[in-house]
Structures are given as C-alpha cells and as structure tokens.
Amino acid sequence: MAEIKEIQEEIIEEFSMLDSDMEMTISYIMELGEQLPDFPEEQRTEENIVKGCQSKVWLTPELQDDQVVFQADSNTAITKGLVSLLIRVLSGQTAKNILENDIFFPEKIGMNRFIGTQRSNGFAAMIKQMKLYALAYEAKVQSGV
Amino acid sequence: METITDQHFDVQKIRAEFPVLDQKVNGHDLIYFDNAATSQKPKQVIDALTKYYEHNNSNIHRGVHTLAERATHDYEETRKAVATFINANEAEEVVFTKGTTEGLNLVAQAYGRKFLKAGDEIMVSEMEHHSNIVPWQLLCQQTGAVLKKIPITENGELDMGAFDQLINERTKIVSIVYISNSLGTINPISTIVKKAHSVGAKVVVDGAQAAPHQKLDVKTLGCDFLAFSAHKMYGPTGVGVLYGKRDVLEKMDPYQGGGEMIKEVSFDGTTYNDIPYKFEAGTPNIGDVVAFKEAIEFIQRIGHEALHTHEQKLLQVGSELLHKIEGFEPVGYAGDKASVISFNIEGVHPFDLGMFLDARGIAVRTGHHCTQPVMDRYQIDGTVRASFAVYNTKNEIEVFADALQEIIKKFKK
C-alpha cells in the first residue's frame, strides 16, 4: 500500500494536467465518482450519514487485519467524486497512518473551498469522521480489546 | 427628483455604476444571479463609505466637536431618508438594526415578551425564512405562546383559506414575509393586515426581499412593524431597519442595555431614552448607515416603476428560456412573483449545478435558502435559485440558459 502522502501527490500530479480549468477539474472529479464501487443499499442508513448543509455523504468503516477499509457514497455527483479521492487516499491504511497524515490534496487541486470555510458539503465533515473512526480503532488497539 | 422612464432605462449605464460586475470569474465574465442573497453595491455607496472614514469618522450623538457633529448629521439624514422611502410618519419610527434578522428578534423580545402570555397565538407562514420562525419559537418557549403556520399551496402561494380558518381572538402577532426568498411569491400584505387587525393582532412584515423590488409604503401596507436589510437593496452589509408605529414602539421594553439607550443611570434605577434610541444600545454601525442613504438615492433615481419593468422583463425571459430545458421543474410559480426563479433539473442535484455554473462564472444560490419548511413542503433537497437585479441583462440570462443546457448533458450520459 502506497503512503498517504504519496497517493495525494499522485492525485495532485494527475490534476495538474487539467491546467487549473475549473470546469475540467470538476468534470474529472465527477467521472472519478462514477467509478466508485456501489455502496451497499442496507448501509444507506441515517446512522451512516455525514451531513453537510447541501450534500449528504454515507460512510462506513471496517477493520480488515490492521487496515481500515472505507466505503462511501454521496447524493451529489461532485461530492461523490471528491469522496472517491478520499477513499483512494485513506482506505486500506492503518489507523495510525490515517491519524498521523494531513489531507492536503483538495487545496492543491483547487478544491480548497471544500475543506475550510464552506458549510455547503459533507466533504470536510467526512475527513473528520474518517479520522474519528481511525481514532476509535487505534484506541481499541492500544487498550488491547 | 427626476427618475428614469422606461425608454431611458439603460442597463449598460447602470452596470457601469457597479465596479464589481466588471471582472472574470474562472475565466468567464461574471454573471451575478445571487441578488436575493445580497445585491452588489453602486459606486456612490462605496464612495460614501470611504468618504465617511476619510473625512468624518467620529462617534455620534455625544461629541461636541465638528467631526462628531458631521457624523451625527449624516447618520440622522439616513434615518430621515428611510422614513421618506417607506412613507413613515416620522423619522423616530425608524430604528437602525444590523439587519432583518435583528429587527425580527427585536420585535419578538421587546414586544413579544412584554405583551404575550401562555395560550396566545403567533402566526407565521410555511414560506418564512428561518429568521422569521426561530425568534418566534424562542418567544413561545419563553412565554408559553403557541406558533401557528399558514400553509402554502402547490404553486407557492399562501393558502388564504387556511389563514381565515386559523386567525382568531387568541392571535396576537402575525409575522409574514412580503416576498418569499426561495419562491419569489409576493404576498397580499394589506389583506392580511386588515384581517389581523380585525382580531387585534399586530402585524410584522419581513421586507428583506421586497425592499429591492417593491415600493415599501407602511401606510398602504398598514403593518405595525416592517423589517428589512440595506445589503439586499444595493446598500452596505450590517445595516437594517426596523420600522414600528410610534405608539407601539413607545410601549415596548428596550431590547438591549448599554450606552445611547438610556436617559439616566444610577444603581437605584435607570430611565430609558426615547424612541428610536431606546433600541439602539451601543455605538451603531455609523459608516454603513451613512452609506445606506446613497443606496436609497440610487433606487429613487432609477425609480420603482423602471426597476419593476426591467426586472419583470428579465423574469419573463428567464422563465421562457428555462421552460424549454428538458427536466426543468420550477419551484414556486405564483401569479404575483418577484424576479426570482427557483428550480430543479430532474436527476441533477442543485449543488452540482451550482458548482458547474460557478465554473462558468455564473453565481447562483443552491440549497434550501434557509427555508427548510418550504423544501419539506415540496419534498426536495433544495433548489437552484437565480435572482435578478436592476443591473442584470437579457443576454446574461441567455448565457445562463445555454450553460445549463450544456451542463445537463454531462449528467445524461
């Protein structure tokens, strides 16, 4: 499994070919979202929702060996694309790695509006939720449960 | 004052008065259709703000020096201009607030808490902005009063039959939006006021969206209170107006305590200042209030008639073009409507549309527009809202409709 930092650098490299064209960037993000594996219907519950002001994200974690595997979906195409990028970066990593690494790629691909000031989407809340799940798993490991 | 007649209405000249419009966003000419959230500001407003800080900045109402006198004079001149603008009896009926939201909260707390008791009823409509729901919910919690809701019809109008059923001797306050921010519906305020007054209820009007579009005349409306914001009517942010009838304002308790709102202070007891100062505790937003006068002057110079004619033309062009788009679903199509088009495109989330439009330099609002009960009523997540102002053009609407057509194709693969 590649390092979280490396995957993010890969993403930034990919997006650099789009030459900061906003429409091409979000079109590409949308296409990436379409490739996300289908989210299990039974997991589409209120409990698994990460709420934003405008878009919803469904997120589930699962511990496989010592890796945290995430599945996710969104009701908006662009958020779903961004979510697929987060899955690519964080899913399959250890809880420790998830907690220790910063997410810096959205800003570098011109999507910084999604992680700071805007309440309009579930993206920022999703990063926080992924880290919280990792924290919970890490705490379990530490306490030997 | 000379106003611009329809024949002399030159939208390009008006655009030239708004510096912000002349820019590229994401490589495209900016098209600003988020006017219902806040309008842009003409140069005369910006200049007035700069002039205030460069020449006249001073605290008001107490200083004996020249700058204090200038600042006080200009601040009070805006109050007079507002009184004339809304046809109030006197300038003292004009209270400066920080916006419509504060005006509504002020009425709820300073009037409602004093005069309402358990079992009294407050009536709002289903199309209210959250700022005309939550202050009343808080008041209900504090007093035991009950909040009643006038439902809306399928096309986005008030269900007046239901209103007639709901209003009764227990109704003490009817607080109603003049023009809905999410639907554009223009409500029959005078009719509501007459019916409400016949049972002794006070009427509060949320005029935030009406102020830039309609002639606001408190005598014709007959309302007891009217709240609106400067920033939606080409003025600065952070300034609002609460109009109240003199006898009602005088009976009310102060809203906040502090400087300015007092006559005498001692630890044995404090006496309050006269209206409107009783409601203006602390140093107000002097600079923005001063600049607000220029926004009023701007609207008066164009004239409500020319403004209305232009905006209704834009609404008509916009409605016709958007109706041709496959999957176009208008939300709110009342007969009497301001220049706001709220809609969805079948199978496309409003958020995605808003993002793609922004990539083309087109600013619209997407989401629930702080009117979640409206979204619940129509069982939708939100809408895309394009709201037009005096400086928008037919050509901008054509670009917008073409952009929508192209964007939708991306979702129909």
Side-chain angles (χ1 to χ4, degrees):
Chain A
M1 191 81 205
E3 297 279 333
I4 289 175
K5 190 166 168 283
E6 284 169 18
I7 306 172
Q8 293 193 78
E9 276 158 4
E10 235 174 64
I11 291 172
I12 294 162
E13 177 70 24
E14 265 170 50
F15 274 79
S16 70
M17 315 215 194
L18 301 168
D19 207 23
S20 306
D21 182 296
M22 185 59 86
E23 185 156 350
M24 274 160 62
T25 303
I26 55 178
S27 297
Y28 182 55
I29 289 171
M30 200 170 104
E31 277 169 34
L32 293 175
E34 286 162 11
Q35 293 160 27
L36 200 67
D38 285 343
F39 190 77
E41 211 46 52
E42 69 276 9
Q43 298 286 0
R44 217 178 283 274
T45 60
E46 197 61 31
E47 207 179 30
N48 289 332
I49 285 180
V50 183
K51 259 202 173 137
C53 186
Q54 292 194 33
S55 59
K56 267 187 221 165
V57 169
W58 289 272
L59 174 71
T60 59
E62 196 189 340
L63 200 59
Q64 292 180 4
D65 300 326
D66 64 341
Q67 293 165 344
V68 188
V69 175
F70 291 106
Q71 277 191 297
D73 197 1
S74 174
N75 63 339
T76 87
I78 296 167
T79 308
K80 189 173 175 177
L82 288 163
V83 159
S84 79
L85 287 168
L86 270 185
I87 297 273
R88 185 167 147 198
V89 172
L90 293 179
S91 187
Q93 303 287 347
T94 61
K96 188 167 178 284
N97 274 342
I98 294 170
L99 289 169
E100 281 174 357
N101 279 277
D102 284 333
I103 299 298
F104 55 84
F105 78 88
E107 192 177 345
K108 303 279 182 188
I109 63 171
M111 292 288 118
N112 46 331
R113 64 166 76 183
F114 288 97
I115 48 168
T117 51
Q118 285 270 16
R119 296 169 297 157
S120 60
N121 63 87
F123 187 71
M126 184 181 167
I127 299 175
K128 200 171 153 195
Q129 191 59 46
M130 289 171 114
K131 295 230 171 197
L132 277 174
Y133 280 132
L135 189 67
Y137 286 133
E138 184 67 2
K140 265 189 194 172
V141 172
Q142 295 289 332
S143 63
V145 180
Chain B
M1 187 188 308
E2 207 179 315
T3 55
I4 299 166
T5 59
D6 193 29
Q7 293 92 320
H8 296 112
F9 185 89
D10 182 348
V11 69
Q12 292 308 329
K13 261 194 193 157
I14 289 169
R15 289 182 70 79
E17 293 187 47
F18 289 81
V20 78
L21 296 176
D22 183 22
Q23 66 172 300
K24 297 225 181 263
V25 168
N26 293 319
H28 300 265
D29 287 337
L30 168 67
I31 295 180
Y32 188 79
F33 286 167
D34 195 16
N35 295 289
T38 195
S39 68
Q40 298 301 344
K41 324 300 173 200
K43 187 108 187 346
Q44 73 190 86
V45 170
I46 302 165
D47 287 349
L49 198 56
T50 309
K51 184 184 162 203
Y52 169 76
Y53 285 114
E54 285 184 351
H55 297 280
N56 301 331
N57 176 51
S58 195
N59 213 328
I60 53 169
H61 293 146
R62 281 171 295 272
V64 294
H65 55 82
T66 303
L67 261 58
E69 175 46 34
R70 278 192 214 149
T72 303
H73 173 267
D74 290 353
Y75 183 85
E76 291 303 327
E77 281 301 302
T78 301
R79 199 188 305 274
K80 286 183 204 159
V82 171
T84 307
F85 186 70
I86 62 173
N87 197 23
N89 277 328
E90 48 189 333
E92 285 72 21
E93 292 178 323
V94 172
V95 177
F96 287 121
T97 62
K98 62 183 185 197
T100 307
T101 301
E102 190 180 40
L104 297 169
N105 277 282
L106 197 162
V107 178
Q109 292 302 308
Y111 180 86
R113 268 184 106 158
K114 184 166 185 184
F115 293 105
L116 266 65
K117 56 181 192 311
D120 285 345
E121 293 179 4
I122 302 163
M123 207 188 291
V124 298
S125 82
E126 201 173 12
M127 69 171 82
E128 301 307 319
H129 189 281
H130 296 162
S131 61
N132 198 22
I133 299 174
V134 185
W136 306 113
Q137 288 176 326
L138 290 169
L139 178 62
C140 288
Q141 284 168 15
Q142 291 157 343
T143 60
V146 183
L147 191 62
K148 297 280 175 178
K149 170 191 88 178
I150 311 164
I152 51 181
T153 61
E154 189 56 32
N155 66 349
E157 290 173 344
L158 286 181
D159 182 341
M160 291 303 284
F163 172 74
D164 290 341
Q165 297 277 316
L166 282 167
I167 193 142
N168 67 75
E169 302 295 326
R170 290 185 303 277
T171 311
K172 299 298 172 206
I173 295 175
V174 177
S175 190
I176 198 91
V177 68
Y178 194 166
I179 296 182
S180 154
N181 74 310
S182 53
L183 303 168
T185 311
I186 303 172
N187 288 320
I189 299 296
S190 303
T191 309
I192 291 167
V193 169
K194 279 188 199 107
K195 290 183 177 176
H197 282 173
S198 74
V199 298
K202 297 284 182 233
V203 180
V204 187
V205 174
D206 168 359
Q209 296 296 331
H213 304 295
Q214 297 280 106
K215 171 85 185 109
L216 291 176
D217 184 328
V218 292
K219 292 206 181 80
T220 311
L221 293 173
C223 56
D224 301 281
F225 297 99
L226 169 70
F228 57 100
S229 303
H231 76 95
K232 292 192 201 284
M233 50 181 288
Y234 311 107
T237 53
V239 177
V241 167
L242 174 70
Y243 156 83
K245 285 182 179 162
R246 172 179 275 276
D247 60 325
V248 187
L249 288 177
E250 280 179 340
K251 278 191 285 187
M252 286 158 61
D253 281 339
Y255 176 49
Q256 292 178 324
E260 183 82 23
M261 52 76 70
I262 48 86
K263 238 179 208 142
E264 304 281 345
V265 177
S266 80
F267 284 98
D268 297 328
T270 291
T271 51
Y272 306 124
N273 205 338
D274 298 327
I275 64 161
Y277 308 109
K278 182 168 84 174
F279 302 108
E280 294 180 6
T283 298
N285 186 354
I286 307 164
D288 289 307
V289 166
V290 169
F292 178 28
K293 181 164 176 273
E294 293 302 317
I296 293 170
E297 197 282 330
F298 171 78
I299 291 179
Q300 286 171 332
R301 174 158 53 87
I302 291 173
H304 278 102
E305 212 181 307
L307 203 134
H308 183 76
T309 308
H310 178 68
E311 290 179 349
Q312 287 295 313
K313 259 184 212 160
L314 296 177
L315 177 65
Q316 196 193 338
V317 171
S319 301
E320 279 169 16
L321 287 175
L322 295 188
H323 267 100
K324 288 180 191 158
I325 295 174
E326 204 190 320
F328 174 73
E329 295 165 347
V331 180
Y333 40 91
D336 207 5
K337 197 165 170 287
S339 53
V340 173
I341 303 179
S342 212
F343 65 94
N344 272 303
I345 301 288
E346 197 193 345
V348 189
H349 197 282
F351 173 82
D352 291 328
L353 281 176
M355 287 291 294
F356 273 106
L357 287 166
D358 178 57
R360 293 178 177 222
I362 302 170
V364 293
R365 183 73 179 267
T366 64
H368 55 61
H369 318 296
C370 296
T371 56
Q372 282 178 352
V374 174
M375 304 301 130
D376 291 345
R377 161 70 177 80
Y378 296 107
Q379 296 185 315
I380 50 179
D381 275 354
T383 73
V384 177
R385 182 186 68 189
S387 50
F388 312 126
V390 67
Y391 41 68
N392 289 127
T393 67
K394 186 168 166 270
N395 179 55
E396 285 181 317
I397 295 175
E398 287 163 357
V399 172
F400 168 59
D402 288 346
L404 268 179
Q405 293 273 24
E406 285 171 36
I407 291 163
I408 293 163
K409 277 186 207 144
K410 292 178 194 284
F411 292 84
K412 301 268 151 92
K413 277 184 273 186

